[in-house]
Amino acid sequence: MPTLLLKLGRTAEAQQVLELLKYQEVQDYLRAGKGVDSTPKNQIIALGKELSDLETIPRDKRSSTQQQRIIELRKTQEKLLQEYGEFFKNPEVIKRIEELRQITGGENFDP
């Protein structure tokens, strides 16, 4: 489908289709129990917001519970970033990304 759209000069639509396919492949990969933790995106965003909110509290006004939660959230954030990086080192993912880059000519493609 994307190749046909590219041949017809419909680059923007082809890129949208490729992005959707990429997203679906990642979702399928995660559901198969491989790669990064399948924590839902909304949960990750909520954790980031919670961390941001807690960090706006001046250090001298934070409770010990709040300070402990900040430490936990930072560790979780670090773990998720590490897993994200490891996901893109997976040979299958590298292969798929390279295929998408070749199809799109590298245009606006950065995972």
Side-chain angles (χ1 to χ4, degrees), residues 46-58:
L47 291 174
K49 182 176 178 343
E50 181 184 358
L51 177 59
S52 178
D53 290 346
L54 287 169
E55 288 178 330
T56 61
I57 301 169

Side-chain angles (χ1 to χ4, degrees), residues 51-92:
L51 177 59
S52 178
D53 290 346
L54 287 169
E55 288 178 330
T56 61
I57 301 169
R59 282 182 182 255
D60 60 337
K61 301 220 190 259
R62 293 178 192 160
S63 70
S64 60
T65 304
Q66 289 170 326
Q67 187 59 38
Q68 185 59 38
R69 183 65 178 153
I70 288 172
I71 293 167
E72 291 170 10
L73 290 170
R74 284 181 182 160
K75 286 180 182 177
T76 300
Q77 185 180 49
E78 185 177 315
K79 179 181 174 232
L80 290 171
L81 287 172
Q82 182 181 2
E83 289 174 351
Y84 179 79
E86 290 299 316
F87 174 77
F88 284 102
K89 291 178 185 175
N90 180 290
E92 184 63 25

Side-chain angles (χ1 to χ4, degrees), residues 13 34 43 59:
E13 290 172 275
K34 302 173 190 167
Q43 184 180 2
R59 282 182 182 255

